[in-house]
Amino acid sequence: MRRFAGLFLWVIGFVFATSSLVSGADVIKMKAANYLPPTHAMSLLTGWFCDEIKKRTNGEVDITYHAGGTLLNPVKMYDGVVTGIADMGVSHIDYTRGRFAVMEVLDLPLGFPSGWVATQVSTDFYNKFKPSEWKDVQVLYVNTTGPWSSSPPRNPSRRWRTSPG
């Protein structure tokens, strides 16, 4: 009988302890900021990301998305996330030259053949070196663009006089 009473009390305690965890689940509200216009591809992807988080958590995490610099501009994005104005932020390190000096090495003309390759190299670089300049935030992802060209490769402009416009 004593054993049964001890087991019963343990089960009751366990039920009360775990039920408070399950029933007390409030909605976690977060803010995401992006400086790009709402119609930009990265803005659309960030909006989709926020919606997908809500869907996959059955509404327990709700992220309000602020595109177009309505919450933070690109210069203030990092500080805005660190100070809690936003919980997530999308920006570009070129807006704050010198602040992210280690990652800026990837801005050099390294000859990446595509944005996909550049993103993979940038992600590997970040994961390997973990630059201390990012110590105040949790980086979710790193992305870059493909190579830039001032003229189409099939029709290079040899002189300014022959350039259109």
Side-chain angles (χ1 to χ4, degrees):
M1 186 64 150
R2 203 172 207 193
R3 179 183 273 173
F4 177 78
L7 180 63
F8 179 76
L9 289 174
W10 186 85
V11 169
I12 294 295
F14 179 78
V15 169
F16 279 116
T18 57
S19 67
S20 65
L21 295 174
V22 175
S23 66
D26 293 329
V27 174
I28 298 169
K29 295 199 177 277
M30 300 176 79
K31 292 180 278 189
N34 188 345
Y35 72 97
L36 295 165
T39 56
H40 190 278
M42 283 304 296
S43 288
L44 297 173
L45 285 171
T46 306
W48 171 84
F49 174 80
C50 295
D51 293 341
E52 193 67 16
I53 294 293
K54 185 173 184 174
K55 183 175 126 188
R56 290 185 184 201
T57 61
N58 295 320
E60 291 182 15
V61 177
D62 185 17
I63 304 171
T64 304
Y65 179 50
H66 302 272
T70 56
L71 186 60
L72 291 165
N73 68 37
V75 175
K76 296 181 180 179
M77 192 66 68
Y78 185 84
D79 288 332
V81 171
V82 170
T83 59
I85 295 171
D87 300 295
M88 290 183 269
V90 176
S91 191
H92 196 287
I93 63 172
D94 286 346
Y95 282 103
T96 52
R97 280 281 180 209
R99 182 168 191 175
F100 304 103
V102 174
M103 291 298 287
E104 284 177 14
V105 73
L106 297 166
D107 283 342
L108 296 172
L110 300 173
F112 298 121
S114 68
W116 186 87
V117 171
T119 296
Q120 298 305 309
V121 170
S122 298
T123 301
D124 289 346
F125 180 88
Y126 175 81
N127 288 332
K128 181 173 182 173
F129 296 107
K130 300 282 189 207
S132 63
E133 55 210 25
W134 298 97
K135 70 180 181 316
D136 297 323
V137 297
Q138 173 65 48
V139 175
L140 296 177
Y141 63 90
V142 177
N143 75 310
T144 60
T145 61
W148 289 86
S149 176
S150 60
S151 65
R154 292 187 203 127
N155 187 17
S157 177
R158 302 278 183 224
R159 298 173 163 218
W160 284 107
R161 280 184 272 149
T162 61
S163 296

